């Protein structure tokens, strides 16, 4: 404190009576009645003037720094009488920007502040040296961050509401580590535990323990595959010894729970004693500042639905309450606009302009397909498929290099295996009928799985675990049937013999392409197989295993299959009958998708690369499959536009400090993004989890074949998933005949079956109109 400031404090004794008169007058008009000021004539401050001030409050707190409009503005230091201190940026009496807060215990937080809260990037170092570096939202660890615990443990990954949640890695001080998914601070989902002795568990977790499908491996190569549960009655599996292990092996899977995981407890860490926002003072400028913000409704205290877990005044719902897939936070009945903005609708369009009106209605999402249970016509085929895949993936094989020899791609490179019901030297006994199993180019597909970072145990569990496959309700146009794994990771498609030949013929070029371009949009293939049923029929079923583009926690509200042709490219379903599983086509499309500049540039480059590859392989009839998740849907089932949201969206509310006007500022859109969607950021790739804007378009009724409608200026925040599918159709004689036949009846440019070069040009021209840069 300066000598001049000390003198002023002493001089207060002589001017206190005069100051009290001014203070009483001010108390009638402002919430800042408790502050004792250094200068008697402070009430004569020029509005908007910024100057350096040194202030003492009646409670003993001290502020020194930049000052304007009766509150801190700019850089300043605030020292509380209990020893807490903040040094940093202020905006209208609130800590806002970069700053450092320190506690009397020696703990510190240095980083971003927003409206008094630790919010943004920042580092908290506790008095015991417990340290967190990463993202914060409203005083809580939320987003990506790392934490070094006082006991030597370390966590790096995603956080939600102050707990590890999402993808992350936790390493104990004894050398054990877990890498995988978390929920509410516990291991939950798919993950891998690696012990210091080299043993590991790969599979499903629930509430911190293995639960469901999983594989336990020993360092010598032995492994146990099965269904895991703390209840020994639900535990089942098979032990596969390595060639080096001989004799009997006495081991119980329950040892994992009672012995291996005993020391793998998550450290509670150091707790923050008091949050900086709880120390904030009510300044005279605050009331005026709050009145300029939109006012959010405060939940009634006796309303059971509005009771939420509260952290430092802000009410946060449970994880289910704040899910982006429901409307508990954003209620259509609570939505109102402070500026009287009304959302654009089709009725607002001038009908004389010839627009075809199109409203959007989101139906409840559901899982596609029917579970294949006992009694289903394809139940036996599913068992054969799972037995064959388990045999193929589990078969011992030497480590492979990504540099494959030409012989690996030989179309004659296939392996037949007999599966008699009673079992054989290489196959287990089973309840299905006698069948034979064929693997096409097994080394190539094993290497592709390695290239695509597919873990063999996870792959086997998804396809061959205890959960049944799901069959999609109807075959595709080609007559192929589709099956989905229960976890939605993989799709199985039956193929014609001609399609198998196409895939094997293009396999060398496909391998080189996906290896060269990590962000390729073309379908990922993981295996090509054949089941041959023995008996009079000698039926053969050929199928390929692919990645499922829509394997995501986001609900897919709209699906589009886009080719760039117009003939027959319409679903002709009314909006009320469009479900989340309905695949719409080119003439159903009513959006332009706007990507951020860097992603749009990468998208354009990759579309060109992929189209060049398909053109060189004489492939046509492929399409871009697009899945759209609307980030905000009203209670009535309509996507909410960005304008509506920014004008008056109901958000979680805050309790105002005593002396406030009862109003509550709402979170910004950036805050809500952090609140609801941090886990998706780390997994954003081209075509996967991509944030974008979808601009609504309207198609003119007098242009029936108009592929891209006219933009309306109405935008929706969306998450996009997209990729190029159906790449196993070449321009053979049948397609040439189809083109010649349809060209007599329709515009040759509107039909799907055209020369690959023409198809490639038409496809990319259309796609680069549907996707645009967000300016």
């Amino acid at each position: 404190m300066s000598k001049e400031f000390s003198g002023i404090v002493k001089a207060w004794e002589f001017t206190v009576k005069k100051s009290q008169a001014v203070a009483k007058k001010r108390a009638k008009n402002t919430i800042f009645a408790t502050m004792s000021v250094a200068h008697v004539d402070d009430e004569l401050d020029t509005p908007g003037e910024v100057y350096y001030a040194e202030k003492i409050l009646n409670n003993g707190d001290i502020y020194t720094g930049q000052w304007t409009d009766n509150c801190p503005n700019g850089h300043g230091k605030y020292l509380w009488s209990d020893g807490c201190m903040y040094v940093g940026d202020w905006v209208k009496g609130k800590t806002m920007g970069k700053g450092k807060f320190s506690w009397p215990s020696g703990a510190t937080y240095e980083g971003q502040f927003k409206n008094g809260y630790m919010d943004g990037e920042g580092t908290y170092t506790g008095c015991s040296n417990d340290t967190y570096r990463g993202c914060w939202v409203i005083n809580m660890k939320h987003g990506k961050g790392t934490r070094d615990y006082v006991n030597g443990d370390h966590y790096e990954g995603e956080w939600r509401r102050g707990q590890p949640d999402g993808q992350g890695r936790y390493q104990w001080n004894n050398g054990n580590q877990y890498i995988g998914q978390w929920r509410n601070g516990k291991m939950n989902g798919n993950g891998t535990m690696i012990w210091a002795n080299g043993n590991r568990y790969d599979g499903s977790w629930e509430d911190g323990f293995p639960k469901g499908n999983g594989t336990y491996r020993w360092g010598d190569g032995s492994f146990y595959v099965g269904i895991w549960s703390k209840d020994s009655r639900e535990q089942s599996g098979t032990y596969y010894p390595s060639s080096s292990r001989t004799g009997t092996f006495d081991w119980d899977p329950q040892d994992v729970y009672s012995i291996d995981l005993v020391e793998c407890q998550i450290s509670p860490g150091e707790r923050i004693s008091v949050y900086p926002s709880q120390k904030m003072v009510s300044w005279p400028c605050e009331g005026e500042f709050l009145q300029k913000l939109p006012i959010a409704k405060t939940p009634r205290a006796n309303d059971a639905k509005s009771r939420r877990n509260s952290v430092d005044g802000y009410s946060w719902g449970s994880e289910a309450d704040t899910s982006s897939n429901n409307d508990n936070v954003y209620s259509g009945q609570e939505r109102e606009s402070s500026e009287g903005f009304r959302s654009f609708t089709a009725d607002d369009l001038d009908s004389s302009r010839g627009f075809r009106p199109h409203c959007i209605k989101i139906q409840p999402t559901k899982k596609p397909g029917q579970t294949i249970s006992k009694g289903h016509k394809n139940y036996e085929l599913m068992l054969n498929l799972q037995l064959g895949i388990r045999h193929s993936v589990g078969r011992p094989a030497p480590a492979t290099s990504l540099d494959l020899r030409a012989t690996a791609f030989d179309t004659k490179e296939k392996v037949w295996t007999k599966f008699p019901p009673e079992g054989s030297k290489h196959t287990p006994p089973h309840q299905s009928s006698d069948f034979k199993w064929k693997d096409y180019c097994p080394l190539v597909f094993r290497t592709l799985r390695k290239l695509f970072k597919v873990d063999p145990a996870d792959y086997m569990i998804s396809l061959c675990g205890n959960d049944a496959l799901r069959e999609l309700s109807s075959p595709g146009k080609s007559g192929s049937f589709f099956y989905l794994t229960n976890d939605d990771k993989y799709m199985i498609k039956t193929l014609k013999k001609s399609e198998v030949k196409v895939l094997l013929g293009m396999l060398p070029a496909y391998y080189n392409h996906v290896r060269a371009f990590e962000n390729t949009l073309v379908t990922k293939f993981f295996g090509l197989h054949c089941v041959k049923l023995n008996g009079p029929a000698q039926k053969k079923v050929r199928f390929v295993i692919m990645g499922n583009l829509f394997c995501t926690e986001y609900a897919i509200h709209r699906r589009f299959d886009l080719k760039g042709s117009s003939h027959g490219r319409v679903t002709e379903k009314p909006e009320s009958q469009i479900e989340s599983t309905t695949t719409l086509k080119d003439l159903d499309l009513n959006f332009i998708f706007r990507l951020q500049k860097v992603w749009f540039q990468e998208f354009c480059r990759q579309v060109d690369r992929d189209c060049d590859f398909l053109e060189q392989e004489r492939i046509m009839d492929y399409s871009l499959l697009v899945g759209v998740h609307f980030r905000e849907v009203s209670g009535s089932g309509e996507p909410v536009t960005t304008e509506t949201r920014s004008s008056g969206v109901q958000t979680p509310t805050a309790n105002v400090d005593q002396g406030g006007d009862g109003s509550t500022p709402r979170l910004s859109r950036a805050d809500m993004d952090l609140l609801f969607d941090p886990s998706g950021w780390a997994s954003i790739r081209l075509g996967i989890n991509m944030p974008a804007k979808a601009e609504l378009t309207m198609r003119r009724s007098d242009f029936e074949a108009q592929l891209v409608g006219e933009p309306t200026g109405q935008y929706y925040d969306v998450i996009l998933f997209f990729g190029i599918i159906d790449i196993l159709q070449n321009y053979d004689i049948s397609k040439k005949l189809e083109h010649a036949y349809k060209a007599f009846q329709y515009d040759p440019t509107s039909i799907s079956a055209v020369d690959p070069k023409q198809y490639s040009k038409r496809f990319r021209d259309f796609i680069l109109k549907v996707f645009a840069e967000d300016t």
Side-chain angles (χ1 to χ4, degrees), residues 12-240:
W12 271 0
E13 295 178 3
F14 301 100
T15 59
V16 67
K17 292 183 180 179
K18 191 174 181 180
S19 298
Q20 283 176 342
V22 175
K24 287 180 181 179
K25 182 179 178 181
R26 183 177 295 171
K28 296 179 182 179
N29 302 315
T30 181
I31 61 175
F32 187 36
T34 60
M35 180 174 176
S36 177
V37 294
H39 298 284
V40 178
D41 58 348
D42 268 356
E43 66 271 15
L44 301 179
D45 289 349
T46 304
E49 180 185 359
V50 180
Y51 62 95
Y52 181 84
E54 295 173 319
K55 308 277 184 178
I56 291 184
L57 278 70
N58 284 341
N59 59 8
D61 296 352
I62 299 174
Y63 171 79
T64 61
Q66 292 176 300
W67 184 273
T68 185
D69 293 337
N70 292 324
C71 59
N73 261 303
H75 190 82
K77 177 170 72 173
Y78 193 104
L79 179 63
W80 283 266
S81 58
D82 63 2
C84 292
M85 182 175 69
Y86 171 80
V87 181
D89 298 332
W90 298 75
V91 175
K92 295 187 177 180
K94 292 282 190 182
T95 54
M96 186 90 74
K98 291 184 178 181
K100 182 177 181 179
F101 189 95
S102 56
W103 287 261
S105 64
T108 62
Y109 169 82
E110 188 168 3
Q112 295 288 330
F113 287 81
K114 187 181 295 182
N115 289 328
Y117 296 87
M118 299 184 291
D119 201 304
E121 292 284 337
T123 299
Y124 173 83
T125 304
C127 58
S128 59
N129 222 27
D130 187 327
T131 304
Y132 169 83
R133 302 175 183 84
C135 296
W136 299 74
V137 174
I138 316 176
N139 290 338
M140 301 183 74
K141 305 171 188 71
H142 200 90
K144 292 186 71 67
T146 62
R147 185 171 184 176
D148 294 302
Y149 296 87
V150 64
N151 65 353
D153 292 357
H154 174 83
Y155 173 81
E156 180 177 0
E158 296 169 356
W159 296 74
R160 183 181 175 90
R161 298 176 181 166
Q163 297 285 349
D165 199 302
Q167 191 73 20
R169 180 176 68 88
Y170 192 103
Q171 184 161 358
W172 284 266
N173 57 12
N174 59 9
N176 300 340
Q177 63 174 317
Y178 170 83
I179 304 169
Q181 295 175 318
W182 295 77
R183 185 170 182 177
N184 293 332
K186 294 182 178 180
M187 297 170 282
N188 201 99
N190 289 324
T192 299
M193 175 71 75
I194 305 173
W195 283 270
N197 61 9
N199 296 347
R200 60 185 288 167
Y201 168 83
D202 301 89
S204 298
W205 296 74
E206 187 175 295
D207 291 332
F209 296 98
K211 176 73 172 179
N213 292 305
T215 302
Y216 189 93
R217 306 168 190 265
W218 285 266
D220 63 2
S222 304
F223 63 95
Y224 170 91
V225 179
I227 308 299
W228 292 75
S229 175
K230 290 183 72 175
D231 186 347
S232 59
R233 294 170 299 179
E234 299 176 357
Q235 180 84 37
S236 65
T238 305
Y239 169 68
Y240 296 90

Side-chain angles (χ1 to χ4, degrees), residues 108 120 128 142 175 209 261 369 442 449 525 694 726 743 761 770:
T108 62
S128 59
H142 200 90
F209 296 98
L261 291 174
R449 293 194 293 270
F525 295 122
D726 294 338
K761 183 180 185 308
V770 173

Side-chain angles (χ1 to χ4, degrees), residues 582-600:
T582 303
T583 301
L584 303 172
K585 300 179 182 178
D586 299 65
L587 294 179
D588 301 308
L589 181 66
N590 54 331
F591 296 107
I592 293 175
F593 302 112
R594 302 194 178 276
L595 305 177
Q596 294 178 4
K597 182 178 180 179
V598 62
W599 282 116
F600 178 69

Side-chain angles (χ1 to χ4, degrees), residues 567-579:
H567 176 66
R569 301 295 295 163
V570 64
T571 308
E572 294 183 345
K573 271 192 176 184
E575 186 69 28
S576 59
Q577 295 181 19
I578 296 177
E579 301 178 338

Side-chain angles (χ1 to χ4, degrees), residues 242-307:
S242 67
S243 56
S244 60
R245 179 170 290 187
T246 58
T248 59
F249 180 60
D250 185 18
W251 176 79
D252 186 347
Q254 292 298 306
D255 292 349
V256 173
Y257 299 95
S258 59
I259 300 175
D260 295 3
L261 291 174
V262 168
E263 297 182 357
C264 297
Q265 301 297 316
I266 310 304
S267 173
E270 180 182 318
R271 299 183 65 87
I272 298 176
S273 58
V274 63
Y275 293 100
S277 55
Q278 292 175 310
K279 305 291 292 180
M280 289 297 103
V281 178
S282 299
W283 304 92
C285 61
E286 188 180 359
E288 178 184 355
F289 177 55
L290 289 175
Q291 290 172 3
K292 294 179 181 179
L293 292 171
I295 305 303
K297 297 181 180 179
T298 303
R300 295 190 300 273
N302 60 351
D303 186 352
K305 292 183 179 180
S306 63
R307 295 185 190 133

Side-chain angles (χ1 to χ4, degrees), residues 330-343:
Y330 295 122
S331 169
Q333 287 74 20
E334 293 174 336
R335 206 181 312 280
E336 56 184 39
S337 170
S338 60
E339 299 175 2
F341 178 86
R342 183 167 64 88
S343 176

